[in-house]
């Protein structure tokens, strides 16, 4: 009888459970006599369903131990491919020790795969296998790993320092946990570490930590994707009625796209959403929606994410889309209960009611939760194909893209998605900062992105070829950046910029920046002593110029002499700012006048550099 068929009372389970790692238990692990239950399901009646035992070569974890993005195969730890008996026992012992430390299944699987890779390398050399784990053989393994490459987007690259470090940590885990095994002779590297062996030390390590590895989805990809996927949300009723498979899949993918983009959720958090799992709240005439799901990474239990209305629309559409799948799930659940298939009951109960159900035709149309791997490796790239883009779209890119857009919104730059990001402001940041039910790690991501963007803006101010205008602060910056002697006082121009910008606060006033850390509300960054206007604000000033020129055409009879005087004053203000920013205002005004006279749309008026 296999372990998966065993149903045990609590007393029986306690006597058969594999003991926690200690010196006595380690002796059993070394000689191969250690046995006991390692994974299980606790049933509603208090009994236990055994899934796997220590002595078995495959340890199966219950669905509840993985994230919502984890498929069935990813819940298995397979030791059968390790041919050497002692190496298999060491690998099991390290894995069991990590399990009792609370590591997630994904982390355990990664650790197992790295140990398998190391032992395969050992077995390829009789000399290395004979010597075991020593400083000498470890140095040879470092050379081997340094020569390895990986293929990314068709390009062959050396392994990253982070990947190397994880491989080298496997040797440290062996030394730490398996000193009692004959194979382990000495520490893999004296007076060093896995991090140092991988080159992650000193300034190089700091630079790697500070530099974001996740790309922001570029506007020329994101905007067409938004247009394409939004069109599917708009025609959801027709697609749901027609039940065309291809269209239904694209509708599902489009909904997932908008959930990822507008919430900052990870893929497993999107997959964890249930039908109707959101609420709304109005603050200062702005309606915020809160989506409820589970974050396996940072939370135990439910958490909430702030979202715009389009995200709740996506949830409702997905809820309607999976209605027939939910009905089949409930039929399968009744059948599993009737046949006392406790494992299947547990699996189905874990996914019931979720908005991302799918059917697996290769497994008798079994109802599963959509795989995170499927979404990232197939469905999201397919969306790019639909718009003719070769961008390698992946789920993790959305989180940083969300943070970047949200922060730009807070800084007054709504960018291309203003209809969906317009309610993200300092209010939202404050909500994340003070609400314990919201994703704290996402708040940190927002802050990190905010600092990056602010630093980029401030560095631009100090570049000689970047035109800026404004009050005393702008004039002072222009003086500093042209002072060659002052630059010499610092190690570099970048060091000088960092020293000066560190103490400059920044907040948006729409048509410029305010660097006053108090409550300045004049709204005139082009003349206020704390104000700065740069090239980012040119579209706003161009728009105001167009507005003034339209008003001027109304004439004295419509707006009076005082009105005309105010319009001319406004035009002079716009002309002054745009000229200071390096634009050919005369050419711009001629183009505006022609379009006004012809009654043409003036959106996107071309600004010409002087």
């Amino acid at each position: 009888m296999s372990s998966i068929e065993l149903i045990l009372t609590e007393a029986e389970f306690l006597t058969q459970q594999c003991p926690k790692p200690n010196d006595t238990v380690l002796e059993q692990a070394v000689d191969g006599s250690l046995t006991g239950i390692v994974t299980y399901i606790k049933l509603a009646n208090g009994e236990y369903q055994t899934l796997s035992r220590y002595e078995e070569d495959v340890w199966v974890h219950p669905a509840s131990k993985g994230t919502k993005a984890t498929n069935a195969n990813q819940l298995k730890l397979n030791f059968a491919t390790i041919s050497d008996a002692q190496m298999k026992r060491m690998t099991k012992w390290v894995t069991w020790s990590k399990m009792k430390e609370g590591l997630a299944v994904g982390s355990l699987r990664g650790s197992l795969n790295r140990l398998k890779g190391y032992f395969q390398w050992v077995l390829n050399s009789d000399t290395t296998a004979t010597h075991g784990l020593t400083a000498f053989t470890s140095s040879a393994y470092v050379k081997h790993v340094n020569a390895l490459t990986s293929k990314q987007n068709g390009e062959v690259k050396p392994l990253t320092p982070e990947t190397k470090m994880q491989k080298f940590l496997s040797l440290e885990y062996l030394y730490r946990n398996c000193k009692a095994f004959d194979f382990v002779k000495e520490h893999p590297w004296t007076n060093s570490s896995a991090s140092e062996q991988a080159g992650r030390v000193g300034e190089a390590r700091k630079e790697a930590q500070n530099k974001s590895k996740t790309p922001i989805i570029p506007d020329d990809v994101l905007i067409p994707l938004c247009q394409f996927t939004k069109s599917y949300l708009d025609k959801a009723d027709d697609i749901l009625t027609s039940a065309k498979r291809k269209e239904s899949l694209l509708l599902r993918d489009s909904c997932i796209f908008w959930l990822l983009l507008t919430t900052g959720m990870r893929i497993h958090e999107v997959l964890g959403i249930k039908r109707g799992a959101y609420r709304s709240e109005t603050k200062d005439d702005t309606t915020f929606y809160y989506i409820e799901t589970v974050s396996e990474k940072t939370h135990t239990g439910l958490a909430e994410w702030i979202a715009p209305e389009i995200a709740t629309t996506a949830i409702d559409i997905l809820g309607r889309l999976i209605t027939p799948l939910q009905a089949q799930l409930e039929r399968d659940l009744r059948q599993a209960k009737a046949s006392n298939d406790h494992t299947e009951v547990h699996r189905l109960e874990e996914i019931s009611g979720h908005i991302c159900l799918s059917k697996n035709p290769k497994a008798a149309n079994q109802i599963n939760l959509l795989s995170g791997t499927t979404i990232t490796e197939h469905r999201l790239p397919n969306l790019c194909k639909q718009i003719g883009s070769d961008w390698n779209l992946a789920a993790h890119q959305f989180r940083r893209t969300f943070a970047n857009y949200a922060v730009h919104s807070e800084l007054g730059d709504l960018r291309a998605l203003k209809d969906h990001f317009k309610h993200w402001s300092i209010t939202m940041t404050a909500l994340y900062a003070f609400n314990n039910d919201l994703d704290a790690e996402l708040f940190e991501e927002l802050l990190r992105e905010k600092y990056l963007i602010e630093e980029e803006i401030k560095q631009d101010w100090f570049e000689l070829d970047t035109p800026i205008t404004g009050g005393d602060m702008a004039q002072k910056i222009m003086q500093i950046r042209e002072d060659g002697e002052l630059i010499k006082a610092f190690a570099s121009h970048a060091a000088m910029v960092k020293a000066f910008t560190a103490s400059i606060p920044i907040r948006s006033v729409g048509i410029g920046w305010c660097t006053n850390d108090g409550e300045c509300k004049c709204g005139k960054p082009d003349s206020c002593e704390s104000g700065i206007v740069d090239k980012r604000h040119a579209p706003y000033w161009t728009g105001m110029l167009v507005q003034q020129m339209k008003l001027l055409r109304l004439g004295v009879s419509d707006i009076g002499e005082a009105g005309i005087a105010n319009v001319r004053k406004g035009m002079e203000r716009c002309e002054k700012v745009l000229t200071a920013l390096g634009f050919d205002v005369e050419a711009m005004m001629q183009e505006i006048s022609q379009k006004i006279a012809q009654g043409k749309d003036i959106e996107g008026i071309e600004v010409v550099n002087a």
Side-chain angles (χ1 to χ4, degrees):
M1 181 182 292
S2 68
S3 62
I4 203 167
E5 297 172 335
L6 293 176
I7 304 295
L8 303 173
T9 66
E10 183 171 5
E12 291 171 330
F13 170 78
L14 291 174
T15 60
Q16 295 187 36
Q17 191 176 17
C18 190
K20 293 181 180 180
N22 58 48
D23 290 343
T24 303
V25 178
L26 175 57
E27 292 177 6
Q28 295 177 305
V30 172
D31 64 25
S33 63
L34 182 59
T35 63
I37 299 168
V38 289
T39 60
Y40 56 89
I41 299 170
K42 187 172 183 179
L43 307 178
N45 62 3
E47 293 182 326
Y48 289 80
Q49 165 81 62
T50 302
L51 296 184
S52 48
R53 299 176 61 86
Y54 189 94
E55 61 269 26
E56 295 173 337
D57 278 350
V58 179
W59 295 357
V60 180
H61 290 260
S64 57
K65 292 298 182 182
T67 68
K68 296 301 180 183
T70 306
N71 60 39
N73 284 334
Q74 292 173 321
L75 291 169
K76 296 178 181 178
L77 302 178
N78 189 351
F79 303 94
T81 55
I82 304 173
S83 59
D84 182 89
Q86 182 180 209
M87 293 176 183
K88 183 187 293 185
R89 292 198 293 269
M90 285 189 288
T91 305
K92 280 189 175 183
W93 180 250
V94 170
T95 304
W96 178 237
S97 299
K98 285 178 169 291
M99 278 181 63
K100 302 316 290 180
E101 291 173 3
L103 258 67
V105 177
S107 298
L108 292 171
R109 193 174 60 254
S111 174
L112 172 59
N113 289 337
R114 287 186 288 271
L115 282 171
K116 284 182 179 180
Y118 169 67
F119 283 132
Q120 186 58 55
W121 173 81
V122 170
L123 291 172
N124 286 338
S125 168
D126 292 337
T127 304
T128 306
T130 302
H131 283 81
L133 180 64
T134 66
F136 176 77
T137 59
S138 297
S139 66
Y141 185 63
V142 169
K143 291 179 182 178
H144 164 72
V145 170
N146 284 336
L148 295 177
T149 58
S150 64
K151 197 171 185 179
Q152 301 175 20
N153 302 327
E155 184 179 355
V156 177
K157 296 182 177 181
L159 300 185
T160 65
E162 175 66 26
T163 300
K164 292 179 184 178
M165 186 189 73
Q166 292 299 327
K167 287 181 176 292
F168 299 153
L169 280 173
S170 297
L171 277 62
E172 293 188 3
Y173 294 145
L174 281 173
Y175 178 76
R176 184 186 310 158
N177 294 287
C178 299
K179 294 177 187 177
F181 289 83
D182 292 339
F183 179 84
V184 177
K185 303 292 195 305
E186 57 187 19
H187 195 284
W189 22 75
T190 308
N191 300 323
S192 185
S193 66
S195 180
E196 186 174 12
Q197 294 296 318
R200 297 181 75 251
V201 293
E203 292 301 317
R205 181 179 183 183
K206 289 179 182 178
E207 183 179 349
Q209 288 175 329
N210 294 330
K211 185 178 179 181
S212 178
K213 299 175 184 176
T214 302
I216 294 170
I217 305 169
D219 286 353
D220 61 353
V221 175
L222 187 58
I223 294 170
L225 278 173
C226 288
Q227 294 168 337
F228 175 80
T229 53
K230 181 63 165 58
S231 72
Y232 270 80
L233 268 64
D234 291 340
K235 58 185 179 182
D237 288 340
D238 293 338
I239 295 173
L240 289 165
T241 302
S242 65
K244 293 180 180 178
R245 176 168 173 76
K246 181 181 177 181
E247 294 291 283
S248 295
L249 288 176
L250 285 172
L251 175 60
R252 182 195 67 188
D253 299 343
S254 297
C255 289
I256 292 172
F257 171 92
W258 279 99
L259 284 167
L260 287 167
L261 177 63
T262 62
T263 64
M265 289 184 186
R266 303 173 186 86
I267 186 61
H268 80 265
E269 291 156 354
V270 169
L271 296 179
I273 299 172
K274 292 189 175 183
R275 291 190 291 185
Y278 62 83
R279 64 183 178 87
S280 63
E281 185 179 274
T282 301
K283 294 178 181 287
D284 301 325
D285 297 325
T286 300
T287 300
F288 294 89
Y289 295 88
Y290 296 83
I291 298 175
E292 183 183 79
T293 183
V294 175
S295 175
E296 313 287 356
K297 184 172 181 180
T298 58
H299 293 279
T300 53
L302 297 173
E304 289 185 322
W305 279 257
I306 300 174
E309 188 174 6
I310 192 171
T312 65
T313 300
I315 291 175
D316 291 339
I317 292 171
L318 288 170
R320 294 167 60 194
L321 195 61
I322 59 95
T323 297
L325 299 178
Q326 178 65 28
Q328 181 181 328
L329 183 150
E330 290 169 1
R331 291 194 298 271
D332 294 346
L333 182 58
R334 288 194 294 271
Q335 183 177 345
K337 287 180 177 178
S339 60
N340 290 322
D341 188 343
H342 301 293
T343 303
E344 182 67 357
V345 168
H346 176 79
R347 187 187 72 81
L348 292 171
E349 287 180 340
E350 282 291 313
I351 64 175
S352 179
H354 287 76
I355 59 174
C356 292
L357 296 178
S358 66
K359 184 183 291 187
N360 186 356
K362 295 181 180 179
N365 287 328
Q366 182 187 67
I367 302 298
N368 296 305
L369 204 59
L370 190 62
S371 162
T373 303
T374 297
I375 294 172
T376 291
E377 294 185 1
H378 302 290
R379 301 312 305 173
L380 291 177
N382 181 62
L383 286 178
C384 284
K385 289 180 182 177
Q386 301 300 316
I387 63 166
S389 171
D390 60 358
W391 178 260
N392 188 28
L393 187 64
H396 64 273
Q397 295 169 7
F398 285 88
R399 191 169 173 88
R400 187 176 176 220
T401 302
F402 162 82
N404 185 270
Y405 268 81
V407 169
H408 272 104
S409 173
E410 181 180 318
L411 291 175
D413 174 11
L414 300 182
R415 304 179 73 184
L417 300 179
K418 59 184 179 181
D419 290 341
H420 304 295
F421 282 79
K422 62 187 176 185
H423 76 287
W424 274 309
S425 63
I426 190 63
T427 308
M428 186 201 70
T429 310
L431 286 171
Y432 267 99
F434 298 110
N435 189 333
N436 291 332
D437 291 332
L438 298 175
D439 185 4
E441 199 170 88
L442 180 57
F443 173 62
E444 293 174 3
E445 185 77 33
L446 286 165
L447 286 182
R448 183 162 48 247
E449 198 65 31
K450 179 182 172 77
Y451 295 147
L452 287 172
I453 292 171
E454 287 186 354
E455 184 178 358
E456 178 185 334
I457 291 168
K458 293 174 186 178
Q459 284 180 342
D460 276 355
W461 294 346
F462 282 83
E463 294 295 331
L464 285 174
D465 59 351
T466 299
I468 62 172
T469 187
D472 290 347
M473 177 61 79
Q475 302 307 314
K476 187 183 296 184
I477 288 174
M478 286 190 281
Q479 290 173 5
I480 291 172
R481 70 187 190 181
E482 293 176 357
D483 190 336
E485 293 302 316
L486 184 60
I487 294 174
K488 291 178 182 178
F490 294 87
S492 64
H493 180 267
M496 182 199 74
V497 172
K498 198 166 187 178
F500 276 97
T501 60
S503 59
I504 300 178
I506 178 175
R507 59 188 176 87
S508 172
V509 291
I511 57 175
W513 306 110
C514 178
T515 62
N516 190 323
D517 57 0
E519 291 295 321
C520 177
K521 296 180 180 178
C522 70
K524 297 179 179 179
D526 53 315
S527 57
C528 174
E529 63 179 15
S530 303
I532 297 176
V533 181
D534 63 27
K535 59 187 178 182
R536 294 172 177 81
H537 304 104
Y540 298 97
W541 289 92
T542 304
M544 288 194 292
L545 180 62
V546 169
Q547 184 185 49
Q548 299 301 314
M549 292 179 68
K550 283 183 175 179
L551 287 172
L552 190 63
R553 289 179 66 87
L554 294 175
V556 176
S557 59
D558 290 308
I559 61 177
E561 291 288 350
I564 291 292
N566 284 331
V567 168
R568 291 192 183 280
K569 187 183 293 184
M571 285 181 61
E572 289 174 7
R573 183 185 176 199
C574 293
E575 290 176 49
K576 181 180 177 182
V577 169
L578 289 169
T579 300
L581 294 179
F583 296 112
D584 186 340
V585 180
E586 185 177 343
M588 185 189 301
M589 293 177 68
Q590 288 178 359
E591 184 183 355
I592 293 171
S593 295
Q594 290 174 0
K595 289 194 173 184
I596 291 176
Q598 297 169 0
K600 292 184 177 180
D601 183 15
I602 312 181
E603 285 291 326
I605 197 78
E606 183 179 358
V607 289
V608 184
N609 288 335

